[in-house]
Amino acid sequence: QVQLVESGGGLVQAGGSLRLSCAASGSIKSIGPMNWYRQAPGKQRELVAVISSGGNTNYKDSVKGRFTISRDNAKNTVYLQMNSLKPEDTAVYYCYAVVVVSTSNVPRSYWGQGTQVTVSS
């Protein structure tokens, strides 16, 4: 019923920038928190940034000051602006959202398929 589709990943040199997007589609009544996670090879998935429906944000310490999460509620889309990228930011980045569909009042979690970000040194 709900799909999250990420875009914007790619290969960039250290110090460069990328902007990730994640668009939610389907029979959506409302969207709560929208988060970005990442998973590097051989490591557990980790939370990178969070944005509430009201726009409050929180970040993993290692990305503070470099990454900015934002959302456009009219477009059901969340963004992650990543600046001053480092090789250790290399990972698959996943979008996550808590969504209430139009046929229910129960919030459910959804994940995107992931987008690869590779930062070369």
Side-chain angles (χ1 to χ4, degrees):
Q1 284 182 306
V2 173
Q3 281 192 316
L4 301 182
V5 178
E6 299 113 333
S7 61
L11 173 64
V12 65
Q13 287 189 332
S17 297
L18 284 174
R19 188 191 194 209
L20 306 183
S21 300
C22 172
S25 62
S27 301
I28 296 170
K29 179 185 295 183
S30 64
I31 304 178
M34 301 184 81
N35 306 345
W36 286 98
Y37 287 77
R38 68 187 181 188
Q39 187 167 18
K43 295 188 177 181
Q44 288 189 328
R45 192 171 296 189
E46 61 182 9
L47 180 61
V48 176
V50 177
I51 186 165
S52 70
S53 57
N56 294 318
T57 60
N58 205 354
Y59 298 91
K60 176 180 174 63
D61 283 347
S62 64
V63 308
K64 285 180 180 177
R66 300 188 298 121
F67 290 10
T68 301
I69 189 171
S70 61
R71 65 190 285 171
D72 184 334
N73 291 331
K75 296 181 179 180
N76 291 333
T77 300
V78 63
Y79 307 95
L80 187 67
Q81 177 66 44
M82 305 185 294
N83 299 328
S84 302
L85 282 161
K86 304 175 180 181
E88 51 263 42
D89 294 318
T90 295
V92 177
Y93 283 71
Y94 296 91
C95 173
Y96 166 95
V98 177
V99 180
V100 178
V101 298
S102 58
T103 56
S104 171
N105 289 320
V106 178
R108 296 189 187 279
S109 300
Y110 294 87
W111 289 91
Q113 81 286 354
T115 185
Q116 177 69 46
V117 171
T118 303
V119 184
S120 63
S121 58

